[in-house]
Amino acid sequence: MALVLGLAGGFLGALGHDALTDDSAAAGFSGGLTEADLVELPPLKEPGSVAAVAQAVLPSTVQVLAEYDGQASGATGSGWVMDGDGHVVTNNHVIASAAKGGGPIVVVDNERNRYEAKVVGRSAVYDLAILEVEDSDGLVPAKLGHSKKLRVGEPVVAIGSPLSLPSTVTSGIVSYLQRPVTTGASADESSYINAVQTDAAINPGNSGGPLLNMQGEVIGVNSAIATAGGGSIDSEAGNIGVGFAIPVEQVRVTADQILKTGKAQYPVIGAKVKTGGVPTGDGAELDEIISGSPAEEAGLRKGDLITRVNGARVTEGIALIVAIRAYQPGQTIEFTIERGGNEREVEVTLDGEDDPAS
């Protein structure tokens, strides 16, 4: 079952919106990830202890302070240094208010040095943002890993600034993989995540911080938590052992787009799918087909039940959304559909739309 969750959050911070207005962003890093100064070797050659992971990656983890509701540091979250060029990854909802209003954003490293940061680009759809820090010689880049290599039960480490407590290290295990979840208080504030679920303690302020394997490699970006209060992100909401991270593979795709062009895109088929209610587990039912869309060109119809995407099972509407968003515009994917009691395969070439936060 898909979950509607509270964002792990800029502590007392902002939410990401799908309908954000345009804002000025820093110039793109035209080479994308192919020319970024990424770390080529993992900080730990062999799987280590939590203490070894913390020692290796704490220098790469930062606190993010951003303007919110007129307060210069009204939103606090976390982030991590992606490369040797001064680019920092965080969640869009941590810096969205500052980005819209042109407010200040400050990055604070593990030694409590402060750096002014500007937004290169951001994605409300994937709840990711890339910041750029000038004079970043003191920042240490982290190593990017692969969430697809994870196994349920594998130990992981989270680092961030929960409740404005910087450089906090927690540990746990991978509780589930490819968990379809949506964050945000309404449809206009939602991002969809095919998440890595973990029981490592994640609290408000952890948003944007790294989730790490035992080789000290970033395998996700901590973004959302389930709470006993039903998804609230107020000051009383806290960890109950159910946290969610954006897979690092999505970070690679979105960061590459942002660094090349200053904006992100996401794939669409031009159809609306039914969400909400009690899922049956049978599939995702299409509710509307947009004229001239890839869905219409592929012959999809209202009422079609999508049961698989490229062979992977789809159980309900949000699962279909996150399955599609795992691909890129221009790719062709195969849907298995049920129509009138018959099953068939349909190929759809994905169109692309600019992220509303771009």
Side-chain angles (χ1 to χ4, degrees), residues 193-230:
I193 305 171
N194 205 15
V196 178
Q197 182 179 330
T198 179
D199 68 349
I202 297 172
N203 286 285
N206 268 117
S207 270
L211 187 68
L212 304 147
N213 62 20
M214 300 309 289
Q215 288 182 286
E217 298 171 319
V218 179
I219 48 84
V221 177
N222 299 316
S223 182
I225 55 176
T227 72

PDB file of all heavy atoms in Angstrom, residues 193-230:
ATOM      1  N   ILE A 193       7.979   9.147  -4.496  1.00  0.00           N
ATOM      2  CA  ILE A 193       9.275   8.525  -4.259  1.00  0.00           C
ATOM      3  C   ILE A 193       9.139   7.011  -4.334  1.00  0.00           C
ATOM      4  O   ILE A 193       8.252   6.440  -3.696  1.00  0.00           O
ATOM      5  CB  ILE A 193       9.824   8.918  -2.870  1.00  0.00           C
ATOM      6  CG1 ILE A 193       9.891  10.428  -2.687  1.00  0.00           C
ATOM      7  CG2 ILE A 193      11.195   8.294  -2.639  1.00  0.00           C
ATOM      8  CD1 ILE A 193      10.214  10.853  -1.268  1.00  0.00           C
ATOM      9  N   ASN A 194      10.016   6.356  -5.080  1.00  0.00           N
ATOM     10  CA  ASN A 194      10.145   4.902  -5.051  1.00  0.00           C
ATOM     11  C   ASN A 194      11.230   4.596  -4.030  1.00  0.00           C
ATOM     12  O   ASN A 194      12.383   4.359  -4.365  1.00  0.00           O
ATOM     13  CB  ASN A 194      10.499   4.364  -6.438  1.00  0.00           C
ATOM     14  CG  ASN A 194      10.070   2.933  -6.613  1.00  0.00           C
ATOM     15  OD1 ASN A 194       9.283   2.399  -5.840  1.00  0.00           O
ATOM     16  ND2 ASN A 194      10.600   2.283  -7.615  1.00  0.00           N
ATOM     17  N   ALA A 195      10.871   4.609  -2.760  1.00  0.00           N
ATOM     18  CA  ALA A 195      11.813   4.865  -1.679  1.00  0.00           C
ATOM     19  C   ALA A 195      12.520   3.624  -1.157  1.00  0.00           C
ATOM     20  O   ALA A 195      12.029   2.498  -1.257  1.00  0.00           O
ATOM     21  CB  ALA A 195      11.083   5.540  -0.529  1.00  0.00           C
ATOM     22  N   VAL A 196      13.690   3.907  -0.548  1.00  0.00           N
ATOM     23  CA  VAL A 196      14.360   2.952   0.331  1.00  0.00           C
ATOM     24  C   VAL A 196      13.808   3.201   1.732  1.00  0.00           C
ATOM     25  O   VAL A 196      13.927   4.302   2.266  1.00  0.00           O
ATOM     26  CB  VAL A 196      15.888   3.156   0.335  1.00  0.00           C
ATOM     27  CG1 VAL A 196      16.551   2.179   1.313  1.00  0.00           C
ATOM     28  CG2 VAL A 196      16.457   2.991  -1.067  1.00  0.00           C
ATOM     29  N   GLN A 197      13.169   2.187   2.319  1.00  0.00           N
ATOM     30  CA  GLN A 197      12.629   2.332   3.671  1.00  0.00           C
ATOM     31  C   GLN A 197      13.663   1.850   4.683  1.00  0.00           C
ATOM     32  O   GLN A 197      14.317   0.831   4.483  1.00  0.00           O
ATOM     33  CB  GLN A 197      11.350   1.511   3.823  1.00  0.00           C
ATOM     34  CG  GLN A 197      10.693   1.633   5.196  1.00  0.00           C
ATOM     35  CD  GLN A 197       9.417   0.820   5.304  1.00  0.00           C
ATOM     36  OE1 GLN A 197       8.721   0.608   4.315  1.00  0.00           O
ATOM     37  NE2 GLN A 197       9.111   0.343   6.497  1.00  0.00           N
ATOM     38  N   THR A 198      13.809   2.599   5.774  1.00  0.00           N
ATOM     39  CA  THR A 198      14.792   2.256   6.791  1.00  0.00           C
ATOM     40  C   THR A 198      14.234   2.522   8.183  1.00  0.00           C
ATOM     41  O   THR A 198      13.343   3.362   8.350  1.00  0.00           O
ATOM     42  CB  THR A 198      16.090   3.069   6.608  1.00  0.00           C
ATOM     43  OG1 THR A 198      17.020   2.716   7.637  1.00  0.00           O
ATOM     44  CG2 THR A 198      15.820   4.557   6.676  1.00  0.00           C
ATOM     45  N   ASP A 199      14.765   1.783   9.181  1.00  0.00           N
ATOM     46  CA  ASP A 199      14.392   2.068  10.556  1.00  0.00           C
ATOM     47  C   ASP A 199      15.451   2.890  11.273  1.00  0.00           C
ATOM     48  O   ASP A 199      15.352   3.127  12.479  1.00  0.00           O
ATOM     49  CB  ASP A 199      14.102   0.784  11.334  1.00  0.00           C
ATOM     50  CG  ASP A 199      15.335  -0.083  11.573  1.00  0.00           C
ATOM     51  OD1 ASP A 199      16.393   0.197  10.964  1.00  0.00           O
ATOM     52  OD2 ASP A 199      15.234  -1.056  12.346  1.00  0.00           O
ATOM     53  N   ALA A 200      16.487   3.346  10.548  1.00  0.00           N
ATOM     54  CA  ALA A 200      17.436   4.292  11.142  1.00  0.00           C
ATOM     55  C   ALA A 200      16.680   5.548  11.565  1.00  0.00           C
ATOM     56  O   ALA A 200      15.805   6.027  10.836  1.00  0.00           O
ATOM     57  CB  ALA A 200      18.540   4.641  10.141  1.00  0.00           C
ATOM     58  N   ALA A 201      16.987   6.070  12.737  1.00  0.00           N
ATOM     59  CA  ALA A 201      16.243   7.213  13.266  1.00  0.00           C
ATOM     60  C   ALA A 201      16.395   8.424  12.350  1.00  0.00           C
ATOM     61  O   ALA A 201      17.502   8.905  12.106  1.00  0.00           O
ATOM     62  CB  ALA A 201      16.728   7.547  14.671  1.00  0.00           C
ATOM     63  N   ILE A 202      15.251   8.912  11.833  1.00  0.00           N
ATOM     64  CA  ILE A 202      15.197  10.108  10.992  1.00  0.00           C
ATOM     65  C   ILE A 202      14.126  11.018  11.582  1.00  0.00           C
ATOM     66  O   ILE A 202      12.998  10.568  11.832  1.00  0.00           O
ATOM     67  CB  ILE A 202      14.865   9.753   9.531  1.00  0.00           C
ATOM     68  CG1 ILE A 202      15.978   8.885   8.928  1.00  0.00           C
ATOM     69  CG2 ILE A 202      14.668  11.004   8.690  1.00  0.00           C
ATOM     70  CD1 ILE A 202      15.639   8.338   7.554  1.00  0.00           C
ATOM     71  N   ASN A 203      14.454  12.272  11.796  1.00  0.00           N
ATOM     72  CA  ASN A 203      13.551  13.223  12.430  1.00  0.00           C
ATOM     73  C   ASN A 203      13.530  14.530  11.635  1.00  0.00           C
ATOM     74  O   ASN A 203      14.338  14.715  10.718  1.00  0.00           O
ATOM     75  CB  ASN A 203      14.014  13.495  13.866  1.00  0.00           C
ATOM     76  CG  ASN A 203      13.714  12.342  14.800  1.00  0.00           C
ATOM     77  OD1 ASN A 203      12.573  12.126  15.197  1.00  0.00           O
ATOM     78  ND2 ASN A 203      14.741  11.566  15.147  1.00  0.00           N
ATOM     79  N   PRO A 204      12.599  15.448  11.950  1.00  0.00           N
ATOM     80  CA  PRO A 204      12.614  16.743  11.283  1.00  0.00           C
ATOM     81  C   PRO A 204      13.982  17.405  11.371  1.00  0.00           C
ATOM     82  O   PRO A 204      14.563  17.514  12.454  1.00  0.00           O
ATOM     83  CB  PRO A 204      11.547  17.536  12.060  1.00  0.00           C
ATOM     84  CG  PRO A 204      10.587  16.490  12.519  1.00  0.00           C
ATOM     85  CD  PRO A 204      11.436  15.298  12.856  1.00  0.00           C
ATOM     86  N   GLY A 205      14.510  17.814  10.222  1.00  0.00           N
ATOM     87  CA  GLY A 205      15.853  18.355  10.133  1.00  0.00           C
ATOM     88  C   GLY A 205      16.825  17.405   9.451  1.00  0.00           C
ATOM     89  O   GLY A 205      17.886  17.812   8.995  1.00  0.00           O
ATOM     90  N   ASN A 206      16.462  16.112   9.376  1.00  0.00           N
ATOM     91  CA  ASN A 206      17.286  15.133   8.661  1.00  0.00           C
ATOM     92  C   ASN A 206      17.142  15.246   7.143  1.00  0.00           C
ATOM     93  O   ASN A 206      17.948  14.669   6.396  1.00  0.00           O
ATOM     94  CB  ASN A 206      16.923  13.697   9.056  1.00  0.00           C
ATOM     95  CG  ASN A 206      17.742  13.164  10.205  1.00  0.00           C
ATOM     96  OD1 ASN A 206      17.218  12.854  11.274  1.00  0.00           O
ATOM     97  ND2 ASN A 206      19.044  13.035   9.977  1.00  0.00           N
ATOM     98  N   SER A 207      16.131  15.947   6.675  1.00  0.00           N
ATOM     99  CA  SER A 207      15.853  16.011   5.244  1.00  0.00           C
ATOM    100  C   SER A 207      17.055  16.468   4.442  1.00  0.00           C
ATOM    101  O   SER A 207      17.654  17.501   4.731  1.00  0.00           O
ATOM    102  CB  SER A 207      14.699  16.971   4.953  1.00  0.00           C
ATOM    103  OG  SER A 207      13.479  16.300   4.990  1.00  0.00           O
ATOM    104  N   GLY A 208      17.377  15.707   3.403  1.00  0.00           N
ATOM    105  CA  GLY A 208      18.478  16.042   2.521  1.00  0.00           C
ATOM    106  C   GLY A 208      19.777  15.372   2.887  1.00  0.00           C
ATOM    107  O   GLY A 208      20.721  15.353   2.098  1.00  0.00           O
ATOM    108  N   GLY A 209      19.852  14.808   4.090  1.00  0.00           N
ATOM    109  CA  GLY A 209      21.071  14.135   4.525  1.00  0.00           C
ATOM    110  C   GLY A 209      21.223  12.775   3.865  1.00  0.00           C
ATOM    111  O   GLY A 209      20.273  12.199   3.340  1.00  0.00           O
ATOM    112  N   PRO A 210      22.442  12.217   3.900  1.00  0.00           N
ATOM    113  CA  PRO A 210      22.685  10.964   3.213  1.00  0.00           C
ATOM    114  C   PRO A 210      22.271   9.744   4.018  1.00  0.00           C
ATOM    115  O   PRO A 210      22.401   9.705   5.239  1.00  0.00           O
ATOM    116  CB  PRO A 210      24.210  10.977   3.022  1.00  0.00           C
ATOM    117  CG  PRO A 210      24.715  11.736   4.206  1.00  0.00           C
ATOM    118  CD  PRO A 210      23.668  12.793   4.483  1.00  0.00           C
ATOM    119  N   LEU A 211      21.774   8.729   3.300  1.00  0.00           N
ATOM    120  CA  LEU A 211      21.644   7.373   3.815  1.00  0.00           C
ATOM    121  C   LEU A 211      22.792   6.591   3.193  1.00  0.00           C
ATOM    122  O   LEU A 211      23.004   6.651   1.972  1.00  0.00           O
ATOM    123  CB  LEU A 211      20.297   6.766   3.446  1.00  0.00           C
ATOM    124  CG  LEU A 211      19.994   5.400   4.080  1.00  0.00           C
ATOM    125  CD1 LEU A 211      19.800   5.540   5.592  1.00  0.00           C
ATOM    126  CD2 LEU A 211      18.742   4.782   3.452  1.00  0.00           C
ATOM    127  N   LEU A 212      23.538   5.845   4.013  1.00  0.00           N
ATOM    128  CA  LEU A 212      24.819   5.284   3.591  1.00  0.00           C
ATOM    129  C   LEU A 212      24.859   3.777   3.807  1.00  0.00           C
ATOM    130  O   LEU A 212      24.269   3.251   4.767  1.00  0.00           O
ATOM    131  CB  LEU A 212      25.950   5.919   4.400  1.00  0.00           C
ATOM    132  CG  LEU A 212      26.013   7.442   4.339  1.00  0.00           C
ATOM    133  CD1 LEU A 212      26.523   8.000   5.655  1.00  0.00           C
ATOM    134  CD2 LEU A 212      26.905   7.903   3.188  1.00  0.00           C
ATOM    135  N   ASN A 213      25.562   3.080   2.902  1.00  0.00           N
ATOM    136  CA  ASN A 213      25.849   1.680   3.160  1.00  0.00           C
ATOM    137  C   ASN A 213      27.099   1.581   4.035  1.00  0.00           C
ATOM    138  O   ASN A 213      27.697   2.588   4.417  1.00  0.00           O
ATOM    139  CB  ASN A 213      25.989   0.893   1.851  1.00  0.00           C
ATOM    140  CG  ASN A 213      27.148   1.386   0.983  1.00  0.00           C
ATOM    141  OD1 ASN A 213      28.074   2.049   1.455  1.00  0.00           O
ATOM    142  ND2 ASN A 213      27.097   1.072  -0.297  1.00  0.00           N
ATOM    143  N   MET A 214      27.504   0.360   4.344  1.00  0.00           N
ATOM    144  CA  MET A 214      28.611   0.190   5.271  1.00  0.00           C
ATOM    145  C   MET A 214      29.978   0.360   4.617  1.00  0.00           C
ATOM    146  O   MET A 214      31.008   0.182   5.272  1.00  0.00           O
ATOM    147  CB  MET A 214      28.499  -1.170   5.957  1.00  0.00           C
ATOM    148  CG  MET A 214      27.207  -1.333   6.761  1.00  0.00           C
ATOM    149  SD  MET A 214      26.886   0.045   7.910  1.00  0.00           S
ATOM    150  CE  MET A 214      28.156  -0.250   9.138  1.00  0.00           C
ATOM    151  N   GLN A 215      29.991   0.724   3.340  1.00  0.00           N
ATOM    152  CA  GLN A 215      31.226   1.149   2.697  1.00  0.00           C
ATOM    153  C   GLN A 215      31.352   2.673   2.679  1.00  0.00           C
ATOM    154  O   GLN A 215      32.272   3.212   2.077  1.00  0.00           O
ATOM    155  CB  GLN A 215      31.301   0.613   1.266  1.00  0.00           C
ATOM    156  CG  GLN A 215      31.558  -0.878   1.187  1.00  0.00           C
ATOM    157  CD  GLN A 215      31.669  -1.344  -0.248  1.00  0.00           C
ATOM    158  OE1 GLN A 215      30.678  -1.450  -0.966  1.00  0.00           O
ATOM    159  NE2 GLN A 215      32.886  -1.615  -0.676  1.00  0.00           N
ATOM    160  N   GLY A 216      30.400   3.341   3.323  1.00  0.00           N
ATOM    161  CA  GLY A 216      30.431   4.789   3.360  1.00  0.00           C
ATOM    162  C   GLY A 216      29.994   5.434   2.065  1.00  0.00           C
ATOM    163  O   GLY A 216      30.337   6.590   1.799  1.00  0.00           O
ATOM    164  N   GLU A 217      29.212   4.719   1.254  1.00  0.00           N
ATOM    165  CA  GLU A 217      28.708   5.252  -0.009  1.00  0.00           C
ATOM    166  C   GLU A 217      27.270   5.747   0.172  1.00  0.00           C
ATOM    167  O   GLU A 217      26.461   5.103   0.851  1.00  0.00           O
ATOM    168  CB  GLU A 217      28.730   4.181  -1.093  1.00  0.00           C
ATOM    169  CG  GLU A 217      30.107   3.655  -1.413  1.00  0.00           C
ATOM    170  CD  GLU A 217      30.069   2.449  -2.334  1.00  0.00           C
ATOM    171  OE1 GLU A 217      29.200   1.568  -2.149  1.00  0.00           O
ATOM    172  OE2 GLU A 217      30.906   2.390  -3.250  1.00  0.00           O
ATOM    173  N   VAL A 218      26.936   6.892  -0.445  1.00  0.00           N
ATOM    174  CA  VAL A 218      25.576   7.411  -0.400  1.00  0.00           C
ATOM    175  C   VAL A 218      24.684   6.529  -1.263  1.00  0.00           C
ATOM    176  O   VAL A 218      24.930   6.348  -2.454  1.00  0.00           O
ATOM    177  CB  VAL A 218      25.523   8.865  -0.904  1.00  0.00           C
ATOM    178  CG1 VAL A 218      24.085   9.375  -0.873  1.00  0.00           C
ATOM    179  CG2 VAL A 218      26.428   9.764  -0.065  1.00  0.00           C
ATOM    180  N   ILE A 219      23.645   5.973  -0.636  1.00  0.00           N
ATOM    181  CA  ILE A 219      22.700   5.144  -1.401  1.00  0.00           C
ATOM    182  C   ILE A 219      21.284   5.735  -1.391  1.00  0.00           C
ATOM    183  O   ILE A 219      20.386   5.197  -2.014  1.00  0.00           O
ATOM    184  CB  ILE A 219      22.698   3.682  -0.909  1.00  0.00           C
ATOM    185  CG1 ILE A 219      22.601   3.586   0.624  1.00  0.00           C
ATOM    186  CG2 ILE A 219      23.970   2.984  -1.366  1.00  0.00           C
ATOM    187  CD1 ILE A 219      21.218   3.667   1.163  1.00  0.00           C
ATOM    188  N   GLY A 220      21.111   6.885  -0.720  1.00  0.00           N
ATOM    189  CA  GLY A 220      19.812   7.541  -0.722  1.00  0.00           C
ATOM    190  C   GLY A 220      19.875   8.898  -0.052  1.00  0.00           C
ATOM    191  O   GLY A 220      20.860   9.242   0.614  1.00  0.00           O
ATOM    192  N   VAL A 221      18.813   9.677  -0.246  1.00  0.00           N
ATOM    193  CA  VAL A 221      18.674  11.000   0.378  1.00  0.00           C
ATOM    194  C   VAL A 221      17.462  10.949   1.297  1.00  0.00           C
ATOM    195  O   VAL A 221      16.327  10.761   0.835  1.00  0.00           O
ATOM    196  CB  VAL A 221      18.494  12.104  -0.677  1.00  0.00           C
ATOM    197  CG1 VAL A 221      18.279  13.462  -0.005  1.00  0.00           C
ATOM    198  CG2 VAL A 221      19.689  12.158  -1.609  1.00  0.00           C
ATOM    199  N   ASN A 222      17.673  11.088   2.588  1.00  0.00           N
ATOM    200  CA  ASN A 222      16.585  11.011   3.561  1.00  0.00           C
ATOM    201  C   ASN A 222      15.584  12.133   3.307  1.00  0.00           C
ATOM    202  O   ASN A 222      15.957  13.296   3.208  1.00  0.00           O
ATOM    203  CB  ASN A 222      17.136  11.094   4.981  1.00  0.00           C
ATOM    204  CG  ASN A 222      18.093   9.960   5.285  1.00  0.00           C
ATOM    205  OD1 ASN A 222      17.832   8.808   4.951  1.00  0.00           O
ATOM    206  ND2 ASN A 222      19.214  10.282   5.910  1.00  0.00           N
ATOM    207  N   SER A 223      14.297  11.750   3.205  1.00  0.00           N
ATOM    208  CA  SER A 223      13.327  12.744   2.755  1.00  0.00           C
ATOM    209  C   SER A 223      12.028  12.752   3.537  1.00  0.00           C
ATOM    210  O   SER A 223      11.411  13.800   3.683  1.00  0.00           O
ATOM    211  CB  SER A 223      13.002  12.513   1.267  1.00  0.00           C
ATOM    212  OG  SER A 223      12.104  13.471   0.787  1.00  0.00           O
ATOM    213  N   ALA A 224      11.569  11.612   4.035  1.00  0.00           N
ATOM    214  CA  ALA A 224      10.238  11.554   4.622  1.00  0.00           C
ATOM    215  C   ALA A 224      10.199  10.575   5.784  1.00  0.00           C
ATOM    216  O   ALA A 224      11.002   9.650   5.870  1.00  0.00           O
ATOM    217  CB  ALA A 224       9.205  11.135   3.567  1.00  0.00           C
ATOM    218  N   ILE A 225       9.239  10.795   6.674  1.00  0.00           N
ATOM    219  CA  ILE A 225       9.021   9.895   7.795  1.00  0.00           C
ATOM    220  C   ILE A 225       7.530   9.653   7.959  1.00  0.00           C
ATOM    221  O   ILE A 225       6.704  10.522   7.666  1.00  0.00           O
ATOM    222  CB  ILE A 225       9.590  10.452   9.116  1.00  0.00           C
ATOM    223  CG1 ILE A 225       9.027  11.857   9.416  1.00  0.00           C
ATOM    224  CG2 ILE A 225      11.100  10.463   9.096  1.00  0.00           C
ATOM    225  CD1 ILE A 225       9.463  12.427  10.760  1.00  0.00           C
ATOM    226  N   ALA A 226       7.194   8.456   8.395  1.00  0.00           N
ATOM    227  CA  ALA A 226       5.845   8.198   8.894  1.00  0.00           C
ATOM    228  C   ALA A 226       5.848   8.501  10.379  1.00  0.00           C
ATOM    229  O   ALA A 226       6.835   8.256  11.079  1.00  0.00           O
ATOM    230  CB  ALA A 226       5.455   6.746   8.647  1.00  0.00           C
ATOM    231  N   THR A 227       4.762   9.080  10.876  1.00  0.00           N
ATOM    232  CA  THR A 227       4.676   9.405  12.296  1.00  0.00           C
ATOM    233  C   THR A 227       3.379   8.863  12.856  1.00  0.00           C
ATOM    234  O   THR A 227       2.416   8.609  12.135  1.00  0.00           O
ATOM    235  CB  THR A 227       4.717  10.932  12.539  1.00  0.00           C
ATOM    236  OG1 THR A 227       3.477  11.506  12.114  1.00  0.00           O
ATOM    237  CG2 THR A 227       5.878  11.575  11.806  1.00  0.00           C
ATOM    238  N   ALA A 228       3.348   8.690  14.170  1.00  0.00           N
ATOM    239  CA  ALA A 228       2.140   8.215  14.833  1.00  0.00           C
ATOM    240  C   ALA A 228       1.010   9.218  14.703  1.00  0.00           C
ATOM    241  O   ALA A 228      -0.158   8.871  14.880  1.00  0.00           O
ATOM    242  CB  ALA A 228       2.430   7.927  16.303  1.00  0.00           C
ATOM    243  N   GLY A 229       1.356  10.480  14.363  1.00  0.00           N
ATOM    244  CA  GLY A 229       0.342  11.518  14.188  1.00  0.00           C
ATOM    245  C   GLY A 229      -0.242  11.550  12.802  1.00  0.00           C
ATOM    246  O   GLY A 229      -0.959  12.473  12.455  1.00  0.00           O
ATOM    247  N   GLY A 230       0.083  10.582  11.946  1.00  0.00           N
ATOM    248  CA  GLY A 230      -0.537  10.504  10.634  1.00  0.00           C
ATOM    249  C   GLY A 230       0.149  11.324   9.579  1.00  0.00           C
ATOM    250  O   GLY A 230      -0.475  11.774   8.626  1.00  0.00           O
TER     251      GLY A 230
END
